[in-house]
Amino acid sequence: MNYILFDGPSRNALLPLTFTRPVADLLIGIVSIRQKWEMYLGSTTTTLTEEYLSQKYPMVELEENIMINASFLPNEELVELIKDLGKNQAIFKDEEVIAFYSNESQEEVNFDHYEIIELEYDVLSINHPWEIFSKNDLAIRADFDFLTEDRESQPIPKSVNVIAPENIFIEEGAKLEFVTLNASTGPIYVGKNSEIMEGTVIRGPFALCEGATVKMGAKIYGATTVGPQSRVGGEINNSVISAYSNKGHEGFLGNSVLGEWCNIGADSNNSNLKNNYEEVKLWSYETESFIKTGLQFCGLIMGDHSKCGINTMFNTGTVVGVSANIFGSGFPRNFVPSFSWGGASGFTTYLTKKAFQTAQIVMSRRNITFDEQEAAILEHVFEETKKWRKE
């Protein structure tokens, strides 16, 4: 069967993280949503997404296809239901479609003509940016169980202080000496060719993805994920840091999500709790207004290629778009549009020519080419987000 992951109705609510990728390629837990589906299905997937992303993330449609809403995360029961789907069958959870059968000749899908299979149990789904960190605990645990089943961990080095070693899994090529790992509060996964430098203290659940680095003396609380090739230091709590991003120095990051190719300057901090302890509101691109999160703790949401200078201070519930560059004293406003340049004293437009020069340099340091495809995606984001930038 051919499996296609589609963005679904939550795509706009997940901006700015989905400006530069389909919903399927968001990181939560130990691997991306796409990787989870492919592991459970035992099959590759392609993507139905926004037209401007489709060259990088193409869709392959065959005569028979199963369409899967990528905002839902897989589990064994759900995957068995999906594998058994036949013609004119669809799986729904409440009013939202999870998966359905389609064929190449269908120009549009009318679920009135489908047999509807109602899901009776809850499954993890991601419908807002803050759910990536607030549901990361559950996602890490599920991924850990799946990835480590019937496998043997690399031995824990003798210099490591460890609590609940049975909940720790170390992949081949990982380096860690003179660190403290407390897995009594949740599993700790140390990815292939990653490194945890000496003096670090980590409390699970925690995921360090392939090639990522935790720098000396870091203090990390669960549930935190450090994405592939990312580098972190300082104090981190309940945050998801996507691939190729850096928070390499002292400073606090809490209840936050960083996109790819982000950089947090030394001694930068975010607030994750309002002074009056009230519920945090967060900017929504879907409603173009600040909406309630239902959370008392909510920090920073930052899109791809955004960066901040040293000693930057982010207020509780700050949303930063794509390719923003923030610096200077004081708190910048808690919605920073994409391609903004400045800080608390005001912003100007960060022109694509300069932004692309920086992206080219940053990506080349990791031996990745900033190509025309990447430039075209960011050009589209630049145009789409013009209305929120004020000169």
Side-chain angles (χ1 to χ4, degrees):
M1 183 56 72
N2 185 49
Y3 297 100
I4 300 171
L5 301 173
F6 67 93
D7 280 349
S10 297
R11 186 262 172 182
N12 288 344
L14 286 162
L15 296 170
L17 302 170
T18 47
F19 270 135
T20 45
R21 66 178 53 79
V23 173
D25 291 279
L26 293 171
L27 174 64
I28 179 173
I30 300 175
V31 295
S32 71
I33 296 172
R34 180 189 306 281
Q35 290 169 306
K36 297 181 207 305
W37 278 108
E38 292 183 346
M39 290 189 311
Y40 274 89
L41 292 166
S43 171
T44 58
T45 62
T46 61
T47 311
L48 176 60
T49 186
E50 298 293 306
E51 186 177 348
Y52 75 95
L53 293 171
S54 61
Q55 186 177 353
K56 183 176 180 181
Y57 304 96
M59 178 177 71
V60 176
E61 189 176 24
L62 301 182
E63 190 174 331
E64 295 181 308
N65 309 281
I66 299 294
M67 310 293 292
I68 300 173
N69 184 341
S71 63
F72 286 89
L73 277 56
N75 61 39
E76 289 183 5
E77 290 175 281
L78 177 57
V79 167
E80 286 306 308
L81 271 180
I82 288 173
K83 284 182 173 180
D84 289 339
L85 277 176
K87 290 183 179 180
N88 298 319
Q89 287 187 319
I91 302 169
F92 271 72
K93 177 63 179 174
D94 300 325
E95 298 297 314
E96 192 167 1
V97 63
I98 296 177
F100 63 94
Y101 174 97
S102 77
N103 60 57
E104 199 174 23
S105 62
Q106 287 178 303
E107 291 185 12
E108 58 182 56
V109 176
N110 184 350
F111 289 119
D112 291 338
H113 301 147
Y114 271 64
E115 176 193 346
I116 303 300
I117 301 167
E118 285 285 352
L119 204 65
E120 299 295 331
Y121 50 85
D122 289 332
V123 291
L124 273 179
S125 63
I126 305 301
N127 301 295
H128 299 282
W130 62 82
E131 292 180 347
I132 293 174
F133 68 77
S134 65
K135 295 181 179 180
N136 199 42
D137 184 306
L138 294 171
I140 289 176
R141 292 174 192 271
D143 285 352
F144 185 89
D145 290 343
F146 191 93
L147 286 166
T148 64
E149 186 177 11
D150 298 325
R151 295 179 63 216
E152 191 170 331
S153 168
Q154 296 295 306
I156 299 172
K158 291 181 179 179
S159 68
V160 174
N161 293 320
V162 60
I163 303 172
E166 67 276 10
N167 295 331
I168 295 171
F169 195 92
I170 302 172
E171 295 281 9
E172 185 181 358
K175 296 189 293 185
L176 61 163
E177 297 284 356
F178 297 101
V179 302
T180 297
L181 303 178
N182 179 0
S184 66
T185 51
I188 292 176
Y189 177 87
V190 184
K192 185 178 179 181
N193 298 327
S194 63
E195 182 176 10
I196 306 175
M197 294 184 184
E198 52 272 25
T200 294
V201 181
I202 296 173
R203 175 180 287 232
F206 173 74
L208 186 67
C209 299
E210 183 172 349
T213 301
V214 180
K215 298 179 78 174
M216 287 196 301
K219 302 179 290 293
I220 303 180
Y221 301 82
T224 291
T225 297
V226 180
Q229 309 298 327
S230 288
R231 299 164 183 164
V232 300
E235 183 180 3
I236 302 173
N237 176 42
N238 188 201
S239 295
V240 175
I241 297 161
S242 304
Y244 298 104
S245 286
N246 293 331
K247 184 226 169 285
H249 305 286
E250 294 301 318
F252 174 72
L253 182 75
N255 305 96
S256 297
V257 182
L258 303 185
E260 295 185 1
W261 304 108
C262 295
N263 190 73
I264 304 295
D267 291 317
S268 294
N269 296 278
N270 79 274
S271 168
N272 63 344
L273 175 68
K274 296 177 72 172
N275 286 355
N276 57 11
Y277 287 62
E278 286 185 352
E279 177 184 353
V280 179
K281 292 182 179 180
L282 205 68
W283 171 262
S284 166
Y285 287 86
E286 185 177 42
T287 65
E288 299 191 17
S289 62
F290 287 88
I291 62 172
K292 293 180 177 180
T293 63
L295 300 176
Q296 191 176 48
F297 291 91
C298 184
L300 171 67
I301 308 294
M302 179 178 276
D304 285 12
H305 291 285
S306 286
K307 296 165 177 56
C308 69
I310 62 170
N311 295 302
T312 301
M313 301 187 296
F314 290 106
N315 242 319
T316 318
T318 293
V319 174
V320 176
V322 173
S323 286
N325 200 306
I326 302 163
F327 51 88
S329 61
F331 288 94
R333 60 181 190 243
N334 53 0
F335 168 49
V336 179
S338 298
F339 292 91
S340 294
W341 175 279
S345 58
F347 288 94
T348 59
T349 297
Y350 189 16
L351 298 176
T352 53
K353 182 180 178 181
K354 290 185 176 180
F356 292 178
Q357 285 174 349
T358 300
Q360 189 173 17
I361 294 167
V362 169
M363 293 174 72
S364 67
R365 293 174 70 236
R366 305 293 189 94
N367 298 314
I368 295 178
T369 301
F370 179 76
D371 57 19
E372 291 181 4
Q373 197 175 74
E374 293 293 329
I377 291 171
L378 293 178
E379 283 278 9
H380 181 95
V381 176
F382 180 84
E383 295 297 326
E384 190 176 334
T385 56
K386 268 184 176 177
K387 60 183 177 180
W388 291 300
R389 289 191 292 273
K390 295 178 181 178
E391 295 297 333

